């Protein structure tokens, strides 16, 4: 006779309901509890509509915690975040774990924008304190999106969608931002979505263009290379500046596709130039965080047939600082293949000298903010002189950006700056115009030197 099967403890209906409405990791309510509480509060205030706020907080840069320290460390931080959020809640407020590293809360006594921003700032300060992981402390920032009922939506789904829209705008503006939903923000986000779709279509249809601005040798104004610059003219949107669509491609996660298209077009054009001319191309901060960037660039060059030694990649200090170890590996791999690396916008960052110490660059580009004031501002002149002297000691080449008249060019030449670019030497032009320029001017200048 078989022994009786062990009986499992019975779970009451109340316990099952509690489990269905709770987050097992933090013990907070989950999105189902959030939904029911919002619907209940909205119903209670239906007869005498009094606004209330909902908010969503996202922990900035949380994913690298799991990658660096493991899932256990990530879970520990989420539990500490939950504890801090509960401590921040005023009477009647409720906090839940919304999704992953996002938490949501209901604020029944917050009626308008300024109140939401104040409590958002208070919570942000609380969450910015170090998190104890035993053998180390970690600091993290947080981003917020708020929506006010009923102005941002009367139904649960609409209200939360508005809060998510506000949060997304915060993330677009950078870490640690607070946004309260408004119709203006909704229109802004709608335009961004339309722009994104148009840009994706432009990449697929290969209608993003590349223009080229000459880089010259200051001693004789001889062209020695060109910087590739993205240009986009949409049939419906008109001209869209690169400082609008390039960051958008970074934010929406398709900068690699855009960059690959631009590099291919630029490299194909450079094949028609005299072989001694180099091509300068900009890398984004997102690409310097992707370990596959070097392989992708070198693969593109092989497909086109451009010698890597003719390519210079421009990177900014901010881009390097985003993920220093990964950036260092990418730079080393590219330089090993013959690609040269330029530090762009030098002098505008907060630790440029440290970057020169920690990374191996081939060239430094002096930001136009100094060049534009060289004839009228003595400090700018001395700064440029010091940069040139320092780079000479470090065996780095120097390019001055934004040269707009002859007096600036002459002053830079006297100070020892070897190279320059700017409207004085030529505005960015398309591939055909650049080829004509080289045919009409470059070879004549070369003949004059022989």
């Amino acid at each position: 006779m078989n022994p009786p099967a062990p009986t499992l403890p019975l779970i009451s209906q109340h316990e099952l309901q509690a489990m269905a409405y709770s987050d097992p990791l933090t013990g907070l309510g989950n999105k189902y509890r959030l939904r029911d509480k919002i619907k209940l509060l909205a119903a209670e205030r239906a007869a005498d509509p009094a606004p209330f706020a909902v908010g969503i907080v996202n922990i900035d840069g949380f994913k690298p915690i799991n990658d660096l320290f493991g899932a256990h460390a990530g879970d520990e931080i989420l539990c500490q975040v939950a504890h801090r959020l509960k401590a921040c809640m005023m009477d009647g407020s409720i906090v839940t774990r919304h999704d992953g590293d996002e938490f949501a809360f209901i604020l029944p006594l917050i009626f308008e924008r300024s109140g939401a921003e104040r409590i958002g700032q208070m919570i942000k300060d609380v969450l910015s304190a170090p998190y104890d992981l035993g053998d180390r402390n970690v600091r993290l920032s947080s981003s917020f999106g708020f929506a006010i009922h009923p102005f941002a939506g009367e139904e649960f789904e609409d209200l939360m969608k508005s809060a998510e829209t506000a949060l997304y705008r915060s993330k677009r503006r950078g870490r640690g931002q607070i946004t309260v939903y408004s119709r203006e923000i909704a229109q802004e986000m709608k335009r961004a979505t339309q722009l994104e779709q148009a840009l994706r279509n432009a990449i697929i249809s290969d209608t993003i263009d590349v223009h080229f601005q000459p880089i010259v040798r200051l001693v004789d104004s001889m062209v020695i290379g060109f910087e590739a610059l993205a240009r986009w003219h949409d049939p419906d949107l008109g001209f869209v500046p690169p400082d609008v669509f390039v960051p958008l491609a970074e934010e929406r996660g398709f900068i690699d596709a855009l960059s690959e298209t631009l590099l291919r077009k630029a490299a194909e054009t450079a094949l028609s130039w005299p072989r001694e001319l180099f091509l300068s191309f900009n890398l984004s901060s997102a690409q310097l965080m992707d370990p596959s960037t070097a392989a992708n660039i070198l693969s593109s060059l092989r497909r086109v047939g451009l010698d890597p030694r003719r390519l210079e990649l421009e990177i900014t200090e901010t881009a390097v600082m985003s993920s220093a170890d990964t950036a260092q590996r990418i730079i080393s791999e590219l330089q090993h293949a013959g690609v040269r690396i330029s530090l762009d916008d030098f002098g505008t960052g907060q630790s440029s000298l440290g970057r020169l110490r920690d990374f191996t660059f081939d060239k430094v580009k002096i930001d136009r903010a100094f060049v534009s004031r060289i004839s009228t501002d003595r400090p700018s002149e001395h700064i440029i002189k010091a940069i040139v002297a320092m780079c000479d000691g470090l065996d780095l080449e120097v390019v001055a950006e934004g040269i707009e008249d002859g007096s600036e060019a002459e002053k830079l030449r006297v100070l020892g700056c070897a190279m320059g670019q700017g409207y004085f030497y030529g505005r960015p032009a398309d591939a055909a115009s650049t080829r004509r320029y080289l045919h009409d001017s470059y070879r004549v200048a070369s003949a004059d030197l022989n």
Side-chain angles (χ1 to χ4, degrees):
M1 182 175 178
N2 294 328
T7 58
L8 296 175
L10 294 176
I11 301 176
S12 69
Q13 188 68 27
H14 177 76
E15 289 173 317
L16 284 172
Q17 187 177 23
M19 291 170 61
Y21 279 73
S22 298
D23 172 51
L25 176 63
T26 63
L28 297 176
N30 59 19
K31 58 185 176 183
Y32 302 112
R33 184 176 298 276
L34 178 74
R35 177 197 61 195
D36 287 0
K37 292 293 185 181
I38 288 178
K39 287 184 175 181
L40 179 62
L41 185 57
E44 289 174 351
R45 299 191 179 186
D48 183 17
F52 64 88
V54 299
I56 302 176
V57 56
N58 176 264
I59 309 303
D60 299 325
F62 178 76
K63 185 180 181 297
I65 297 296
N66 284 331
D67 296 340
L68 290 171
F69 306 129
H72 176 74
D75 289 348
E76 175 59 29
I77 287 178
L78 290 175
C79 289
Q80 292 185 37
V81 168
H83 180 74
R84 296 184 191 186
L85 287 172
K86 285 175 66 176
C88 290
M89 293 298 108
M90 61 185 70
D91 289 344
S93 298
I94 300 163
V95 60
T96 62
R97 186 177 176 203
H98 188 56
D99 184 30
D101 60 344
E102 286 186 5
F103 296 79
F105 37 86
I106 308 169
L107 305 169
L109 301 181
I110 299 298
F111 309 131
E112 36 72 48
R113 176 189 185 122
S114 61
E117 289 174 338
R118 280 196 302 272
I119 196 165
Q121 185 62 52
M122 182 269 289
I123 297 174
K124 187 177 85 166
D125 292 342
V126 169
L127 295 183
S128 68
Y131 293 90
D132 182 10
L133 296 180
D135 58 341
R136 63 179 67 86
N137 287 332
V138 175
R139 285 186 178 273
L140 295 168
S141 61
S142 51
S143 299
F144 294 79
F146 288 94
I148 309 296
H149 180 280
F151 314 114
E154 296 188 29
E155 300 299 323
F156 168 76
E157 291 78 10
D158 296 333
L159 191 62
M160 296 311 298
K161 183 178 178 181
S162 295
E164 290 280 8
T165 297
L167 175 65
Y168 188 73
R169 184 176 186 269
S170 288
K171 301 292 280 187
R172 285 190 65 203
R173 292 166 58 203
R175 297 185 174 190
Q177 300 294 317
I178 300 169
T179 303
V180 181
Y181 177 88
S182 67
R183 288 187 178 87
E184 291 76 17
I185 288 173
Q187 287 299 316
E188 176 189 322
M189 300 308 297
K190 182 179 179 180
R191 285 193 297 270
T193 300
Q194 292 171 337
L195 185 65
E196 174 191 356
Q197 192 56 54
L199 181 56
R200 288 183 184 273
N201 292 337
I203 294 172
I204 293 171
S205 61
D206 205 22
T207 54
I208 303 290
D209 201 6
V210 183
H211 284 205
F212 302 89
Q213 184 173 38
I215 300 172
V216 306
R217 198 165 52 206
L218 291 182
V219 66
D220 56 10
S221 300
M222 185 71 179
V223 174
I224 53 177
F226 290 88
E227 180 179 353
L229 300 165
R231 293 293 182 267
W232 178 30
H233 193 282
D234 183 82
D236 299 320
L237 301 172
F239 174 73
V240 184
D243 59 359
V244 171
F245 70 82
V246 172
L248 180 66
E250 288 188 285
E251 293 160 7
R252 302 297 173 96
F254 56 97
I255 186 65
D256 287 342
L258 175 61
S259 183
E260 182 180 351
T261 296
L262 295 171
L263 180 58
R264 172 183 55 79
K265 287 190 170 186
E268 288 172 348
T269 299
L271 285 177
S272 67
W273 303 342
R275 291 183 58 84
E276 63 269 22
L277 298 183
F278 66 83
L279 169 68
S280 187
F281 188 84
N282 291 276
L283 278 191
S284 71
S285 58
Q287 289 175 287
L288 284 173
M289 298 170 67
D290 181 356
S292 65
T293 290
N296 292 340
I297 289 172
L298 296 175
S299 177
S300 294
L301 295 180
R302 282 193 296 270
R303 285 196 297 270
V304 173
L306 185 72
D307 187 342
R309 290 172 295 183
R310 292 185 63 193
L311 179 65
E312 290 189 358
L313 292 174
E314 298 187 16
I315 61 178
T316 64
E317 182 184 343
T318 302
V320 169
M321 293 172 67
S322 298
S323 183
D325 292 340
T326 302
Q328 180 68 279
R329 288 193 292 271
I330 292 170
I331 290 171
S332 297
E333 190 175 343
L334 289 167
Q335 287 178 320
H336 181 73
V339 177
R340 293 164 60 82
I341 306 295
S342 296
L343 181 60
D344 197 14
D345 299 337
F346 185 78
T348 60
Q350 297 181 0
S351 53
S352 298
L353 295 179
R355 301 285 77 77
L356 291 179
R357 179 196 62 206
D358 298 337
F359 291 83
T360 303
F361 296 105
D362 300 291
K363 184 179 289 185
V364 163
K365 301 191 79 172
I366 301 175
D367 189 77
R368 68 190 66 198
F370 298 109
V371 173
S372 64
R373 297 198 296 266
I374 191 172
S375 299
T376 58
D377 182 48
R378 292 279 292 175
S380 292
E381 179 181 345
H382 286 298
I383 288 171
I384 291 175
K385 184 177 181 180
I387 291 173
V388 170
M390 177 186 65
C391 290
D392 183 56
L394 295 173
D395 199 26
L396 293 171
E397 295 179 333
V398 182
V399 180
E401 297 184 285
I403 301 174
E404 297 197 353
D405 60 49
S407 64
E408 292 174 354
E410 176 61 19
K411 199 151 225 176
L412 287 162
R413 187 191 66 76
V414 170
L415 291 175
C417 184
M419 289 169 277
Q421 70 181 100
Y423 287 172
F424 179 65
Y425 294 106
R427 292 177 178 269
D430 61 25
S433 299
T434 300
R435 281 193 289 268
R436 284 196 300 271
Y437 168 80
L438 290 172
H439 180 270
D440 296 341
S441 305
Y442 178 78
R443 299 201 182 277
V444 173
S446 298
D448 291 342
L449 293 176
N450 293 331

